[in-house]
Every structure is written in C-alpha cells, then in structure tokens.
Amino acid sequence: MICKICNKKITGRKDKLFCSVKCKNYYHVNLRKATAVVVKELDNILHRNRSILLEIMGKRKIQCRVSRMVLEKKHFVFKYHTHQHTNNKGKIYYYVYDFAWMEFSNDEILIIKKT
C-alpha cells in the first residue's frame, strides 16, 4: 500500500491508509476545512431563507399565503430546506428550522411558523 498523502510505502496493518500520524492528521485537517466551506455556504442560504420567511410573516399570526413571486423577488432558494413532511393528503411541507412552506398549484405559497 502507498500513503494517500506522501506516496511512501506503508508498513504495518493491511488496512492502513497513511504512513504516519503526520500524514493522517494532514488529511483530516484539510478534509474538515474543505467540508466547512460547503457547510458554511449552505448554512448561510438556510438562514437567509428563514429571514425571508420571518420578514414576510412579520407580526402576523401563525400562517399566511403569498405569491411565489414574492419569495422569488427576495431571492428565496426553494431547493434548500432543513427537512420535509408529507401530510395525509400527500401535500409536502418544506421546513427551514421553525418555518414551513407548502406550494399550491396556483403559484401560491402557504407559510407556517411552528410554535
């Protein structure tokens, strides 16, 4: 076997991937850095989506309906959400933390704040 970092020959166990602790640490530190960038970008999008939903809801009650265009103009990114739920009628609720939205066929969006 050859080390994934420095290409030196590995001695010892058959399942080793690195020749030394130094190479192993280098690999894992850089893997965390690369992952952190992607996670940070995604987290920023999710927080922005939540802020948009909060801004639209304002001081309103628990739910409201808006046109899809309202969210699109504020650059809401529909493909990013924290989780989803399908109700017994087959409608899908998409969640961003404590907010959910459901799309209707007439380009209306129902926004719900979970309490």
Side-chain angles (χ1 to χ4, degrees):
M1 296 284 294
I2 294 181
C3 179
K4 291 176 94 171
I5 300 301
C6 68
N7 296 321
K8 289 183 183 175
K9 185 176 179 180
I10 298 175
T11 58
R13 294 188 336 261
K14 291 180 182 178
D15 62 341
K16 282 179 75 175
L17 301 175
F18 307 100
C19 66
S20 67
V21 172
K22 181 180 176 183
C23 285
K24 181 179 175 183
N25 287 342
Y26 177 85
Y27 173 81
H28 288 289
V29 165
N30 286 306
L31 181 63
R32 278 192 300 274
K33 284 180 185 176
T35 304
V37 170
V38 173
V39 170
K40 180 74 172 163
E41 289 174 16
L42 179 58
D43 196 44
N44 286 341
I45 292 169
L46 289 171
H47 278 28
R48 177 159 172 72
N49 276 356
R50 185 189 180 281
S51 295
I52 292 168
L53 295 175
L54 179 62
E55 179 185 345
I56 290 170
M57 289 289 288
K59 301 281 183 190
R60 295 183 185 162
K61 297 177 185 169
I62 296 174
Q63 66 182 22
C64 72
R65 284 186 186 215
V66 296
S67 167
R68 183 181 182 89
M69 289 297 292
V70 171
L71 292 171
E72 288 174 350
K73 285 181 182 178
K74 293 183 178 291
H75 305 288
F76 188 86
V77 184
F78 286 91
K79 69 179 181 177
Y80 292 111
H81 53 275
T82 55
H83 59 291
Q84 66 187 42
H85 170 73
T86 305
N87 70 7
N88 56 3
K89 295 179 182 176
K91 288 287 196 177
I92 300 173
Y93 290 88
Y94 298 95
Y95 286 83
V96 177
Y97 306 113
D98 57 336
F99 285 91
W101 77 90
M102 180 176 61
E103 300 181 52
F104 292 101
S105 59
N106 61 354
D107 282 338
E108 263 193 334
I109 307 289
L110 174 67
I111 302 171
I112 300 168
K113 182 171 180 11
K114 299 299 281 182
T115 54

